[in-house]
Amino acid sequence: MKKRMNIITCGLAMCLFAACGQTQSDSAFPVAVSQTEEAHQSPVQSDSTGQKDEEQEQEVDVDLTKLSSIMCYSEVYTMVTYPEQYWGKTVKMTGEMVYGMSSGEDPKYYFAVLIADALACCQQGIEFVLESGSNDPKDYPAIGSQVTVVGEFTSYEENGMTYCQLVSAKVLPQEDTQ
Amino acid sequence: MAQLICRDLSLGYEGKALIEHLNFSVEKGDYLCIVGENGAGKTTLLKTLLHLHAPLHGTIEAGDGLRKDEIGYLPQQTLVQRDFPASVWEIVLSGCQRRGKWHLFYSSADKQLARQSMEKMNITNLSKRCYRELSGGQQQRVLLARALCATQKLLLLDEPVSGLDPKATEEMYALIRSLNQEGITIVMISHDLSAVASDASHVLHLGKKIFFGTKQDYLKSENVHTFDRKGDE
Amino acid sequence: MAQLTEKIALYLSYPFVQYALVVGVLVALCSSLLGVTLVLKRFSFIGDGLSHTAFGAMAIAAVLNLTNEILFILPATILCAVLLLRVGQNAKIKGDAAVAMLSVGSLAIGYLLMNLFSNSANISGDVCSTLFGSTSILTLSKTEVWLCVVLSIIVVGVFIVFYNKLFAVTFDENFAKAVGTNTDGYNLLIAVIIAVIIVLAMNLVGSLLVSALIIFPALSAMRIFKTFRAVTICAAVTSVICSFVGMMLSILAGTPVGATIVAVDIAVFALYTLAGSLTGGQKA
């Protein structure tokens, strides 16, 4: 049960309401921020060409889109449970786009891809930050849409909990097979 | 000294006595029939003799070289057994379980004993057959062979012919008779007075008035008449 | 076809899939061995009752926030198994009613406890994955895998060593007792092993489906085979194959593991029943 609670807290809470009490701070996203210095263009949607797509697929270390739903869920579970084994790996995943928002004066958004298990009773989300480091919902796909995201896996600690996220992420156009 | 001696035995469940002040003994080579109405405590007595139940009062002693667990038992068929997937061989061999806690596997002597018992019961040819597919008479002979593996001294039979057709009944009685003639003590529960009349040496009649004695005395006693009447009803 | 084998090869390269297959096969083996005894002793309901009890124990472990929940669940389930068997033997108390009471009771209390005290964000998810297994078999830690391997070896070992005694006690308990076999001891042994198996199997199929894993292979084997030994061996082989196939299907198709395994078990049962009636293996 402990284990399962980890899934939930690391997964759901992370993307949906981990933001509680979180103040907007660069230190929470050290990697994300440093990476965004150079690239300021929005990588979203149309400007990722087919070629670029292929390039990225070659780089992908963990391709969750190739796994069946149950495998995908289990792999994400493993990633969330042992994040250190996945640090620095490029992860590609497909799922439902969800937003989370921290409460407080300066609300901060969290963007995540939600992955459900085969029974659809357990869900895990992996948070991601675009290459631009944007925290503006306008730069992200609409809530509830199916998205495929590629990014570098990392994890960070916040209030004693470990959260996982993909940094310098790109949103890929939906493939027909999905 | 007798093989089984019951002294001032009281039997029953949860303090309620079915039978009280029962005294009887079984000598080596006896053929004792236990008769009585339904609910008179025949099966309870049998289970007590087998140490499956503790008596409420009194003692059961074993003697004449008989250990208290050296009793072969032919139970009435249970629901579980009726569709149990087991071969005749597996069942007969299971009669060779011994007291010794670590007697976990059957030795070749055990297997030899099982083969002999099956020969005696004329079921060697059924060895590989499935128990649940046998006729009632065959099933009883399998269980009797198993009981013979457990002991060569004393057999307790719980209504061995119930549910059998007349021919199978006759065969069963003949088998029991021949075992008795070999020197095996028989204690049998029976509804069937004709068997009592032909084979038994002693009779224990359970009921309001307990009778224990030889068959000759029993047939002269008044118990036999009450038993007869009950049988007719 | 080539694509499929490629996919299988890819999946098999994941450590958690390897763990799942090892644990799944072992659990299937253990549960089917004891399943034969359980079905024949008319104890099938005890497996069902115990799985619910294990759910209750799991809820308590979760509420107490124990780090190693299995250390609590296992003894608690064993205790209930012993109690249930004791009750089952006592003719005065209705055994089936007691089992129903205990199992439904622990189900309700377990769910209630989780709702009231669990600090988890997704209670229905927790409950659902505990009841139906969900993906827990694919998310085992190395420690859990080793624990399962060790317990499985013990269960199989005990079964082989006590095979003859278990047969005797299963076929005719009164006779076994009369010739001096310690039947109470063996019943206790059976209860303890069943509890261990149920706790192990909960990871695989979830607590609602555990008893399917125990009874289906035994029932299937009984359709075709007529001796205890053959039924036992057939049940073990059938169960292992069904679990393996079920797990492969489920990870390939993305269906829930436990439900898929049980579905395969049901299909095999139907197949065996048909085969049995064709060869006249089963008397009507």
Side-chain angles (χ1 to χ4, degrees), chain C residues 152-206:
Chain C
S152 303
I153 291 172
I154 294 175
V155 168
V156 174
V158 165
F159 185 83
I160 293 172
V161 168
F162 293 105
Y163 170 82
N164 286 323
K165 296 286 186 185
L166 288 175
F167 170 79
V169 172
T170 308
F171 181 71
D172 194 338
E173 198 174 320
N174 277 341
F175 181 86
K177 204 171 172 183
V179 297
T181 299
N182 182 4
T183 53
D184 290 340
Y186 286 107
N187 278 328
L188 192 68
L189 183 76
I190 292 172
V192 170
I193 295 179
I194 294 298
V196 171
I197 289 171
I198 282 173
V199 172
L200 287 181
M202 260 172 72
N203 271 325
L204 184 61
V205 293

Side-chain angles (χ1 to χ4, degrees), chain B residues 193 205 218-232:
Chain B
L193 208 58
H205 184 119
Y218 177 70
L219 291 173
K220 280 182 242 157
S221 75
E222 55 186 274
N223 289 66
V224 72
H225 302 301
T226 60
F227 186 59
D228 247 356
R229 270 209 306 280
K230 288 284 173 193
D232 292 343

Side-chain angles (χ1 to χ4, degrees), chain C residues 18-197:
Chain C
Q18 296 162 8
Y19 292 163
L21 289 174
V22 168
V23 171
V25 162
L26 287 175
V27 166
L29 178 66
C30 295
S31 56
S32 61
L33 287 181
L34 264 289
V36 178
T37 301
L38 224 58
V39 167
L40 288 171
K41 272 179 96 71
R42 302 291 192 271
F43 277 173
S44 308
F45 63 95
I46 285 185
D48 203 43
L50 279 182
S51 57
H52 296 170
T53 316
F55 171 80
M58 205 172 205
I60 293 172
V63 167
L64 295 177
N65 224 346
L66 299 176
T67 40
N68 204 340
E69 57 192 28
I70 201 162
L71 290 182
F72 176 78
I73 298 171
L74 198 57
T77 312
I78 290 175
L79 186 72
C80 288
V82 173
L83 282 177
L84 282 181
L85 273 186
R86 277 284 139 82
V87 170
Q89 284 168 345
N90 189 338
K92 200 184 166 195
I93 305 169
K94 291 274 177 283
D96 56 342
V99 173
M101 210 172 69
L102 195 65
S103 73
V104 180
S106 37
L107 204 60
I109 297 294
Y111 185 51
L112 197 63
L113 283 176
M114 284 171 91
N115 250 301
L116 288 179
F117 300 108
S118 174
N119 47 2
S120 153
N122 180 2
I123 290 163
S124 57
D126 273 8
V127 172
C128 167
S129 62
T130 315
L131 288 182
F132 295 105
S134 189
T135 45
S136 38
I137 186 75
L138 288 163
T139 55
L140 296 172
S141 69
K142 237 178 204 159
T143 325
E144 287 169 308
V145 175
W146 278 113
L147 186 69
C148 178
V149 169
V150 170
L151 286 176
S152 303
I153 291 172
I154 294 175
V155 168
V156 174
V158 165
F159 185 83
I160 293 172
V161 168
F162 293 105
Y163 170 82
N164 286 323
K165 296 286 186 185
L166 288 175
F167 170 79
V169 172
T170 308
F171 181 71
D172 194 338
E173 198 174 320
N174 277 341
F175 181 86
K177 204 171 172 183
V179 297
T181 299
N182 182 4
T183 53
D184 290 340
Y186 286 107
N187 278 328
L188 192 68
L189 183 76
I190 292 172
V192 170
I193 295 179
I194 294 298
V196 171
I197 289 171

